[in-house]
Amino acid sequence: MTKVNGEDVVKEDIKDTEAEKTAEETVEEAAEEKTENTEEKTEEKKEEAPEEDGDAKYLRLMADFQNYKKRVEKEKTDLYSYANEKLVTELLAVLDNFERALAHEDPGDGFKEGMEMIFKQLVDVLEKSGLAEIAALGEDFDPNFHNAVMTEETEEYESGKVSGVLQKGYTLNGKVIRPSMVKVVS
């Protein structure tokens, strides 16, 4: 039998305890380092994420601003293009009356020549403003530009063609402001 010295047992216990403490400390230190590394990576990601979010927000705001500028510019051009629409629409009645007055024949009258010059001047001013007459007679019927108020049978035109214009139609800068009232061949 071996004698065990109490001091040896205590020394061994102390060594075991120290070894356990050292092992525990090593494990704890490794865990702390891992946690610190994870925290550092998380912090780096957090630091990068706001930058990415900031960049994305910046790009989104720039795109929104560009779209806003384009929309405002389009609205502005539309406003300039169609600002006179009401005035031109009301002047169409005057234009129609001029055409009716000029349709009457009165030979040798200087008054008629003066009226024709005034009519031509008015038409020129309206055309400069973007007014254009819709071609109708002999054209295919298009409900976007023509308003059919009558149908008729005629040998002169094919079916679906405009055979007569009752009231001229006009566009203002490409937009129909008054469709042509027409007769269509059935």
Side-chain angles (χ1 to χ4, degrees), residues 147-158:
N147 182 14
V149 293
M150 294 176 67
T151 59
E152 67 178 354
E153 295 289 329
T154 183
E155 303 270 327
E156 193 174 339
Y157 297 103
E158 298 174 10

Side-chain angles (χ1 to χ4, degrees), residues 7 15 19 39 66-67 69 72 80 95-96 101 119 155 158 164:
E7 287 179 13
K15 285 181 185 177
E39 288 175 359
Q66 291 295 328
N67 291 338
K69 283 175 47 176
V72 167
Y80 289 138
L95 203 62
D96 291 340
F119 175 73
E155 303 270 327
E158 298 174 10

Side-chain angles (χ1 to χ4, degrees), residues 98-120:
F98 258 115
E99 288 177 342
R100 285 186 202 107
L102 293 174
H104 293 298
E105 291 292 324
D106 199 8
D109 195 3
F111 179 74
K112 183 175 180 179
E113 290 177 20
M115 292 293 284
E116 286 174 348
M117 290 191 313
I118 294 170
F119 175 73
K120 174 129 177 60

Side-chain angles (χ1 to χ4, degrees), residues 2 13 33 40 95 115 122 147 179 184 186:
T2 12
D13 284 340
E33 287 179 18
E40 287 176 9
L95 203 62
M115 292 293 284
L122 177 62
N147 182 14
V184 181
S186 56

Side-chain angles (χ1 to χ4, degrees), residues 48-180:
E48 290 175 8
E51 288 178 15
E52 290 176 11
D53 288 342
D55 290 343
K57 285 180 183 177
Y58 175 75
L59 291 174
R60 207 170 19 254
L61 283 173
M62 284 299 293
D64 288 343
F65 183 67
Q66 291 295 328
N67 291 338
Y68 168 76
K69 283 175 47 176
K70 289 177 186 175
R71 188 174 57 246
V72 167
E73 187 63 34
K74 184 183 181 309
E75 288 173 0
K76 194 185 301 183
T77 57
D78 287 348
L79 183 64
Y80 289 138
S81 296
Y82 302 114
N84 297 331
E85 183 177 348
K86 185 176 180 186
L87 176 65
V88 170
T89 304
E90 290 177 8
L91 285 175
L92 291 179
V94 175
L95 203 62
D96 291 340
N97 289 331
F98 258 115
E99 288 177 342
R100 285 186 202 107
L102 293 174
H104 293 298
E105 291 292 324
D106 199 8
D109 195 3
F111 179 74
K112 183 175 180 179
E113 290 177 20
M115 292 293 284
E116 286 174 348
M117 290 191 313
I118 294 170
F119 175 73
K120 174 129 177 60
Q121 186 179 16
L122 177 62
V123 169
D124 289 343
V125 168
L126 291 174
E127 285 176 352
K128 285 180 185 176
S129 297
L131 186 71
E133 183 179 332
I134 297 173
L137 191 59
E139 299 287 323
D140 287 331
F141 174 74
D142 184 356
N144 296 319
F145 297 105
H146 307 127
N147 182 14
V149 293
M150 294 176 67
T151 59
E152 67 178 354
E153 295 289 329
T154 183
E155 303 270 327
E156 193 174 339
Y157 297 103
E158 298 174 10
S159 179
K161 298 276 187 179
V162 175
S163 62
V165 178
L166 303 174
Q167 185 181 39
K168 290 181 179 179
Y170 294 95
T171 60
L172 181 63
N173 297 318
K175 178 183 173 188
V176 176
I177 58 173
R178 183 173 83 181
S180 298

